[in-house]
mmCIF file of all heavy atoms in Angstrom:
data_model
loop_
_atom_site.group_PDB
_atom_site.id
_atom_site.type_symbol
_atom_site.label_atom_id
_atom_site.label_comp_id
_atom_site.label_asym_id
_atom_site.label_seq_id
_atom_site.Cartn_x
_atom_site.Cartn_y
_atom_site.Cartn_z
ATOM 1 N N GLU A 186 90.455 88.736 85.122
ATOM 2 C CA GLU A 186 90.440 88.187 83.700
ATOM 3 C C GLU A 186 89.598 86.899 83.621
ATOM 4 O O GLU A 186 88.884 86.837 82.638
ATOM 5 C CB GLU A 186 91.853 88.080 83.237
ATOM 6 C CG GLU A 186 91.986 87.643 81.763
ATOM 7 C CD GLU A 186 91.320 88.349 80.755
ATOM 8 O OE1 GLU A 186 91.180 89.663 80.915
ATOM 9 O OE2 GLU A 186 90.798 87.848 79.768
ATOM 10 N N LEU A 187 89.778 86.037 84.536
ATOM 11 C CA LEU A 187 88.975 84.906 84.569
ATOM 12 C C LEU A 187 87.515 85.190 84.720
ATOM 13 O O LEU A 187 86.677 84.407 84.055
ATOM 14 C CB LEU A 187 89.444 83.920 85.658
ATOM 15 C CG LEU A 187 90.786 83.183 85.475
ATOM 16 C CD1 LEU A 187 91.271 82.592 86.791
ATOM 17 C CD2 LEU A 187 90.537 82.131 84.425
ATOM 18 N N ALA A 188 87.171 86.219 85.452
ATOM 19 C CA ALA A 188 85.682 86.463 85.627
ATOM 20 C C ALA A 188 85.124 87.011 84.432
ATOM 21 O O ALA A 188 84.031 86.518 83.944
ATOM 22 C CB ALA A 188 85.611 87.585 86.834
ATOM 23 N N ARG A 189 85.941 87.817 83.661
ATOM 24 C CA ARG A 189 85.463 88.341 82.386
ATOM 25 C C ARG A 189 85.351 87.128 81.389
ATOM 26 O O ARG A 189 84.327 87.077 80.560
ATOM 27 C CB ARG A 189 86.556 89.398 81.778
ATOM 28 C CG ARG A 189 86.486 90.746 82.436
ATOM 29 C CD ARG A 189 87.242 91.745 81.764
ATOM 30 N NE ARG A 189 88.620 91.495 81.830
ATOM 31 C CZ ARG A 189 89.448 91.997 82.739
ATOM 32 N NH1 ARG A 189 88.980 92.756 83.588
ATOM 33 N NH2 ARG A 189 90.689 91.752 82.758
ATOM 34 N N GLN A 190 86.384 86.294 81.338
ATOM 35 C CA GLN A 190 86.181 85.068 80.352
ATOM 36 C C GLN A 190 85.024 84.122 80.612
ATOM 37 O O GLN A 190 84.507 83.667 79.744
ATOM 38 C CB GLN A 190 87.591 84.370 80.511
ATOM 39 C CG GLN A 190 88.770 85.124 79.858
ATOM 40 C CD GLN A 190 90.004 84.311 80.057
ATOM 41 O OE1 GLN A 190 90.054 83.239 80.557
ATOM 42 N NE2 GLN A 190 91.080 84.877 79.725
ATOM 43 N N THR A 191 84.774 83.904 81.933
ATOM 44 C CA THR A 191 83.725 82.958 82.290
ATOM 45 C C THR A 191 82.361 83.403 82.504
ATOM 46 O O THR A 191 81.515 82.644 82.590
ATOM 47 C CB THR A 191 84.232 82.183 83.535
ATOM 48 O OG1 THR A 191 84.389 83.048 84.618
ATOM 49 C CG2 THR A 191 85.571 81.418 83.176
ATOM 50 N N GLY A 192 82.241 84.772 82.788
ATOM 51 C CA GLY A 192 80.918 85.351 83.055
ATOM 52 C C GLY A 192 80.791 85.327 84.509
ATOM 53 O O GLY A 192 79.561 85.567 85.076
ATOM 54 N N ALA A 193 81.732 84.986 85.334
ATOM 55 C CA ALA A 193 81.578 84.994 86.811
ATOM 56 C C ALA A 193 81.377 86.397 87.368
ATOM 57 O O ALA A 193 81.745 87.478 86.772
ATOM 58 C CB ALA A 193 82.696 84.423 87.616
ATOM 59 N N ASP A 194 80.633 86.668 88.484
ATOM 60 C CA ASP A 194 80.368 87.897 89.056
ATOM 61 C C ASP A 194 81.522 88.278 90.077
ATOM 62 O O ASP A 194 81.549 89.519 90.262
ATOM 63 C CB ASP A 194 79.108 87.817 89.849
ATOM 64 C CG ASP A 194 77.751 87.480 88.973
ATOM 65 O OD1 ASP A 194 77.541 88.447 88.169
ATOM 66 O OD2 ASP A 194 77.235 86.506 89.151
ATOM 67 N N GLY A 195 82.272 87.204 90.495
ATOM 68 C CA GLY A 195 83.380 87.632 91.388
ATOM 69 C C GLY A 195 84.373 86.468 91.519
ATOM 70 O O GLY A 195 84.177 85.427 90.962
ATOM 71 N N ILE A 196 85.344 86.617 92.340
ATOM 72 C CA ILE A 196 86.387 85.570 92.506
ATOM 73 C C ILE A 196 86.638 85.476 93.889
ATOM 74 O O ILE A 196 86.362 86.372 94.766
ATOM 75 C CB ILE A 196 87.704 86.040 91.853
ATOM 76 C CG1 ILE A 196 88.255 87.437 92.399
ATOM 77 C CG2 ILE A 196 87.583 86.164 90.263
ATOM 78 C CD1 ILE A 196 89.722 87.725 92.007
ATOM 79 N N MET A 197 87.114 84.334 94.418
ATOM 80 C CA MET A 197 87.511 83.928 95.712
ATOM 81 C C MET A 197 88.946 83.453 95.643
ATOM 82 O O MET A 197 89.207 82.542 94.845
ATOM 83 C CB MET A 197 86.667 82.906 96.351
ATOM 84 C CG MET A 197 86.852 82.528 97.713
ATOM 85 S SD MET A 197 85.659 81.264 98.342
ATOM 86 C CE MET A 197 84.346 82.333 98.456
ATOM 87 N N ILE A 198 89.752 83.956 96.467
ATOM 88 C CA ILE A 198 91.153 83.504 96.573
ATOM 89 C C ILE A 198 91.372 82.751 97.940
ATOM 90 O O ILE A 198 90.968 83.332 98.982
ATOM 91 C CB ILE A 198 92.191 84.634 96.511
ATOM 92 C CG1 ILE A 198 92.064 85.424 95.063
ATOM 93 C CG2 ILE A 198 93.537 84.201 96.773
ATOM 94 C CD1 ILE A 198 93.005 86.508 94.886
#
Side-chain angles (χ1 to χ4, degrees):
E186 179 58 30
L187 283 169
R189 285 191 290 268
Q190 291 175 5
T191 61
D194 297 295
I196 62 167
M197 180 179 291
I198 296 179

